[in-house]
Amino acid sequence: MAPAVVVVGAGVIGAAVTYHLARRGARVHCVDRADRPAAGTTEAGFATATAYRRFPKAYFELNQAGIAEHAALAGDSAPWWHRTGTVAWTDDESFAGYLAQLAEWGCPVERYAADGTSVVFPASGPVAFLPSEGWIDAVAFTRHLLDRAVAHGATLALNAEVTSVSGGVGLADGRRIEADVVVNAGGSAADEIGALAGARPFLGPPRRSLIAHLLVDGDPLSCILRAPEVSIRPDGPGRVVLRSDRVDRGLPPRSGTPDPEFVKDLLDRAARVVPSLGTATVRKASVVDARCARDELPSVGSLSAVPGYYEAVASAGVTLAPLFGKALAARIVDGEPDALVDVFTPDRFEAAETS
């Protein structure tokens, strides 16, 4: 008989796991304490499918495989997948060496012709184009996956807070869902879910990022930009999204509504790269808390110390979700390994603590 599985979390990773399990015939239930799918980091994040600056090599290869899974799922016409490519440059002299490393690792890299654009590029140094990358409408993608999962027989319960994990899950409203397997796709709440199952905490501290959504005249961008001061991506007609590592480093330790001076700093940095953004209107700005494992890599797979318990947590969740969903479903339903994904087993934390 096909296994019964509860997936805790209806963000993009939980949705992908639910979809692939349902496709393989598992009896799968997805639960989330929010009132809608993708209500957390999935909805608020920068949402690109990228392997840019992903280290070590095994993690880079994982993200490359995630991009390929997006393309395979989307086909030619999926409305959530926008393969625009990424244009990147830095003020770091080592950038040429990094591009050579990408090429050595099998990543398509092209020299970008910067003439005739509305972007201010550096006077010297390489400008690279990574053609396989793109941006994702993460909310639409998550909803599509869950809709397809339900069509394959899965169930989705929202406003459903998990209060116990043992042989399934108990919910705050008194309901219980029996299951052979529980998959923890709880994102920033993954340690809370894991503790209910008797798993050890594994998340690192929050990584805060200011994300600004702008309304603009026309469509000033045709691709994702990774500049030294700011990252900018299209977000559909008349919209762009911004973030900046340099701004994020100065953020105070709280999420939610950002202080105006940080928003202004982010906008000023963006306008130095794309001058037309100087007249843009801020539609929404928020500070997002993203968390991943304490070694800053994904935690995906079973935890040997807790039978029937799996984790699927990563800071690059939008990129990796379709790959994680496919790999975990193959493992749970048919016992199939995945050489790329299995490197990031949750058991590595147990081994580190006992060595």
Side-chain angles (χ1 to χ4, degrees), residues 15 30 38 43 46 63 80 177 185-186 199 213 228 284 333 339:
C30 182
E43 181 178 60
F46 194 62
N63 282 272
W80 67 82
I177 304 174
H213 295 251
K284 178 176 67 173
V333 176

Side-chain angles (χ1 to χ4, degrees), residues 57-131:
K57 184 181 180 182
Y59 187 41
F60 166 82
E61 291 175 337
L62 193 76
N63 282 272
Q64 283 287 88
I67 295 170
E69 284 298 326
H70 270 291
L73 268 177
D76 296 326
S77 59
W80 67 82
W81 166 238
H82 304 269
R83 184 177 172 177
T84 59
T86 295
V87 173
W89 68 97
T90 74
D91 50 12
D92 185 341
E93 293 182 357
S94 67
F95 188 55
Y98 172 65
L99 296 180
Q101 183 180 63
L102 286 181
E104 181 182 329
W105 286 355
C107 177
V109 181
E110 303 170 7
R111 185 170 292 276
Y112 186 71
D115 294 338
T117 73
S118 59
V119 178
V120 178
F121 289 102
S124 61
V127 177
F129 181 59
L130 285 65

Side-chain angles (χ1 to χ4, degrees), residues 144-158:
H144 170 80
L145 290 171
L146 290 171
D147 287 346
R148 297 305 303 150
V150 169
H152 283 286
T155 66
L156 172 64
L158 301 173

